[in-house]
Amino acid sequence: MSDLMKLTLAGARDALRAGETTAVELTEASLAAVAASKPLNAFVHDTSEIARSQAKAADARIQAGDAPDMCGLPIGMKDLFCTKGVATQAASAILDGFKPEYESTVSQKLFDAGAVMVGKLNMDEFAMGSSNETSVYGNAVNPWKVDEHDLTPGGSSGGSAAAVAAETCLAATGTDTGGSIRQPAAFTGITGIKPTYGRCSRWGIVAFASSLDQAGPITKDVRDAAIMLEAMCGFDAKDSTSMNLPVPNFEAALTGDIRGKTIGIPKEYRVEGMPEALETLWSEGRQMLRDAGAIVKDISLPHTKYALPAYYVIAPAEASSNLARYDGVRFGHRAKLEAGDGITEMYEKTRAEGFGAEVQRRVMVGTYVLSAGFYDAYYNRARRVRALIKKDFDDVFATGVDAILTPSTPSAAFGLGEMADADPVQMYLFDVFTVTVNLAGLPGISVPAGLDSKGLPLGLQLIGRPWEEGDLLNTAFALENALGFNAKPNQWWR
Amino acid sequence: MSIDTKTAGRVAKLARIKVEEADLPALAQEFTNILGFIEQLNEVDVEGVEPMTSVTPQRLYRRDDTVTDGDQQAAVLANAPDAREGFFAVPMVVE
């Protein structure tokens, strides 16, 4: 049974169509793997009943000859996606007991394509974190290990990455506001793509920073990323920032031929203290793309240094506004009130009890930078810097660059608890290579590249032109083929 | 810039988050660190640069101003911590 979980989405799809297995068998194998993965704390809400009925329906569809690409494939759903009638908490105490009366557009699209939801996945509270340590459910744990210490799977989609890397489900949904798909994918040796802003509808996804948030898949390889992304994308009239563009066949774009493509290497992404293994992998990646026929050239993105500070103004500002809705009136937790407490006390106590420390910190920083007297100095200045960061990319693409190759993260996964005493700013630095992409609204993908000196996975990131995910996936496919990464974690949790 | 405890308290109040008096100094220190990090933005020459409103050069999608939905009272109230007679119930707002 466990062999079924070694399949990719593409492999399982083809096996289902050939009648070699059934959606029910795949789903039972996945549910068994989920049950055996408790020490990873990746799954936080059980949806096995839904999964079993979806699997039966998928088998009927396949029998009838109607088998979309995702039909019958067991996936995990990040707890940030509203799923009708199923607990949706964004890993926060303030949404305790919340069961949406509606389905997010992305999860609905996946279900329409026949996907089977085997459970809801752990994450950082409201997607705020880079280590999955801010979750009300406790830390998710990286399946990779070098000694007795548990490592972070990254964040905020830490549960999604841990679940896929541990082969408990075939793929998972993630969301990426500053790197929350690509960073955990890199930390767990798998693939994650954040599409262009506006490709996936944000409707029904619990909002963190609306101008940056974008959903995407976390998968075992690039082909799977293409298949699942296609199922998640598309115009949605319910999201006013959704782009009305046709969704191409991303899998068909995977030819592996990148001859004549131009790949840019930004000098600003070489940071102090970067491990030697990462430096080596990055230069190997360059050479591999060159060997595949691409032209590799040095480029400059001069405002890169200011991406993180701009992000830590814009994201908290938007979060403070989005999270104003959690006030104990319409849904979720409401604090117990003392005699004489009025509405203001209800808001203040509810939010103090419901939000964890990192969320409180960001909501308050956001409130500060938006407050009278500081709006121009912080918020408007950050938005101006953001315009310059986007212009850096526009300028580079205008010179004929097709994709940009960078590391995904400044290091491999760190130990859970290791950053507990660190300044919040130190934790923010783990997003240093990914956050520029969100600020510019571009597509970015992390592919597993190799292992560091301790044997932990490291990722390389490719950044593409807006709306050209197909081309980006194809370049990633060529890189993946050349890298030939196939290391897996030992299944110590079983 | 250094944030004092009074400012930290005011921000907590604006954010509608109760922070105990004793926790304000630590909070003020965290604000100071984070804002110190953000201050780097002052090094950038932003003269003549418009603040970005959207990463994609498109107008927000609009639809006709017509009713597309309705009669959802039970669904709207389904998750309320306290609902009575078809309304959300809250502590007294006006005396």
Side-chain angles (χ1 to χ4, degrees):
Chain A
M1 257 203 346
S2 67
D3 279 347
L4 284 176
M5 297 320 293
K6 293 198 190 311
L7 292 171
T8 57
L9 290 175
R13 170 193 64 185
D14 298 347
L16 284 171
R17 286 177 181 173
E20 290 159 14
T21 186
T22 63
V24 167
E25 272 179 352
L26 269 172
T27 299
E28 289 305 330
S30 178
L31 291 172
V34 169
S37 73
K38 284 273 181 297
L40 299 176
N41 199 27
F43 285 87
V44 292
H45 297 297
D46 179 7
T47 62
S48 52
E49 227 171 278
I50 293 172
R52 288 190 170 104
S53 92
Q54 285 175 329
K56 268 193 210 126
D59 276 332
R61 275 179 90 171
I62 295 164
Q63 286 271 304
D66 164 34
D69 280 345
M70 294 296 295
C71 197
L73 305 181
I75 60 165
M77 193 71 70
K78 189 176 182 180
D79 195 34
L80 204 63
F81 291 79
C82 286
T83 40
K84 190 172 182 177
V86 177
T88 299
Q89 248 182 275
S92 182
I94 210 158
L95 274 170
D96 193 20
F98 178 59
K99 288 185 176 173
E101 293 286 310
Y102 49 88
E103 190 71 43
S104 83
T105 297
V106 163
S107 55
Q108 186 63 56
K109 277 178 176 287
L110 286 166
F111 297 154
D112 290 347
V116 172
M117 177 171 69
V118 291
K120 302 270 314 248
L121 293 162
N122 206 347
M123 54 178 283
D124 277 297
E125 184 179 4
F126 283 106
M128 297 179 194
S130 305
S131 65
N132 212 126
E133 289 173 286
T134 68
S135 167
V136 73
Y137 314 117
N139 310 331
V141 178
N142 195 326
W144 290 83
K145 227 174 187 181
V146 284
D147 51 27
E148 73 278 14
H149 294 107
D150 283 341
L151 301 173
T152 174
S156 67
S157 311
S160 302
V164 176
E167 300 188 318
T168 59
C169 52
L170 299 185
T173 54
T175 62
D176 192 313
T177 304
S180 283
I181 286 175
R182 291 158 287 155
Q183 185 252 25
F187 275 7
T188 57
I190 53 175
T191 303
I193 182 168
K194 179 202 92 76
T196 313
Y197 181 81
R199 247 314 172 201
C200 285
S201 169
R202 291 180 296 104
W203 196 84
I205 302 173
V206 175
F208 163 14
S210 303
S211 78
L212 302 160
D213 298 344
Q214 204 41 208
I218 292 182
T219 59
K220 290 181 182 173
D221 64 14
V222 174
R223 180 174 298 279
D224 282 7
I227 293 169
M228 187 161 163
L229 180 63
E230 192 178 324
M232 294 167 72
C233 284
F235 175 66
D236 180 11
K238 287 187 279 194
D239 174 358
S240 64
T241 60
S242 166
M243 192 65 151
N244 199 348
L245 272 183
V247 180
N249 183 335
F250 293 134
E251 193 183 5
L254 305 181
T255 61
D257 182 1
I258 57 162
R259 282 173 297 177
K261 296 278 177 196
T262 303
I263 311 295
I265 309 296
K267 64 171 192 229
E268 291 82 4
Y269 282 59
R270 192 165 282 110
V271 298
E272 205 139 326
M274 198 155 89
E276 207 180 302
L278 192 57
E279 190 84 60
T280 309
L281 278 173
W282 193 14
S283 65
E284 280 173 7
R286 289 198 281 273
Q287 191 54 46
M288 286 169 182
L289 292 170
R290 205 175 277 132
D291 291 345
I295 303 147
V296 176
K297 70 171 194 182
D298 291 326
I299 56 164
S300 175
L301 298 163
H303 294 90
T304 300
K305 183 185 164 200
Y306 302 105
L308 266 183
Y311 177 85
Y312 278 98
V313 174
I314 293 165
E318 293 184 16
S320 73
S321 164
N322 274 327
L323 272 58
R325 73 190 66 172
Y326 304 104
D327 55 9
V329 175
R330 284 159 300 166
F331 35 68
H333 174 76
R334 177 185 291 187
K336 284 216 172 17
L337 301 181
E338 311 273 330
D341 279 352
I343 190 108
T344 306
E345 286 79 12
M346 186 191 82
Y347 296 151
E348 290 181 344
K349 287 182 178 177
T350 295
R351 289 161 67 81
E353 285 174 13
F355 292 145
E358 181 64 22
V359 172
Q360 292 195 18
R361 183 154 50 227
R362 293 202 201 184
V363 166
M364 288 192 274
V365 166
T367 302
Y368 182 80
V369 299
L370 289 178
S371 64
F374 298 106
Y375 186 90
D376 261 326
Y378 288 109
Y379 184 61
N380 266 341
R381 174 167 282 268
R383 290 198 302 149
R384 288 192 167 94
V385 173
R386 183 178 184 184
L388 292 172
I389 289 165
K390 174 152 196 306
K391 187 174 176 297
D392 283 353
F393 283 104
D394 291 345
D395 290 349
V396 159
F397 288 136
T399 68
V401 166
D402 295 288
I404 297 165
L405 181 73
T406 78
S408 301
T409 57
S411 76
F414 52 92
L416 283 164
E418 213 172 86
M419 301 286 287
D421 300 324
D423 192 88
V425 171
Q426 273 178 277
M427 186 69 104
Y428 298 166
L429 293 173
F430 281 94
D431 294 332
V432 67
F433 297 139
T434 48
V435 73
T436 48
V437 175
N438 300 77
L439 289 167
L442 302 171
I445 184 168
S446 175
V447 292
L451 302 174
D452 75 352
S453 56
K454 286 189 284 186
L456 291 173
L458 292 167
L460 286 176
Q461 173 180 236
L462 281 162
I463 303 165
R465 294 162 175 270
W467 313 110
E468 292 184 20
E469 289 89 352
D471 195 55
L472 176 67
L473 283 157
N474 185 41
T475 307
F477 184 63
L479 183 65
E480 175 186 58
N481 286 342
L483 286 162
F485 181 90
N486 56 15
K488 303 265 182 212
N490 293 321
Q491 301 214 347
W492 55 265
W493 59 89
R494 279 183 163 272
Chain B
M1 184 164 41
S2 178
I3 301 295
D4 56 22
T5 53
K6 197 174 144 231
T7 309
R10 193 172 58 89
V11 172
K13 190 83 196 165
L14 284 172
R16 296 283 184 267
I17 296 174
K18 186 174 174 59
V19 177
E20 299 299 339
E21 204 64 37
D23 297 332
L24 284 176
L27 185 65
Q29 186 55 50
E30 280 177 353
F31 283 169
T32 302
N33 292 349
I34 294 170
L35 293 171
F37 176 63
I38 291 167
E39 302 269 283
Q40 290 179 66
L41 294 177
N42 293 331
E43 298 166 14
V44 187
D45 179 9
V46 294
E47 190 62 36
V49 180
E50 280 296 305
M52 186 192 275
T53 48
S54 166
V55 288
T56 38
Q58 70 157 357
R59 274 164 60 103
L60 291 182
Y61 173 78
R62 292 170 190 192
R63 62 167 175 82
D64 292 335
D65 184 15
T66 51
V67 177
T68 57
D69 200 351
D71 204 16
Q72 302 277 340
Q73 193 181 41
V76 168
L77 293 175
N79 280 289
D82 191 4
R84 286 172 219 164
E85 297 162 36
F87 294 96
F88 293 109
V90 295
M92 193 184 287
V93 179
V94 278
E95 296 291 329

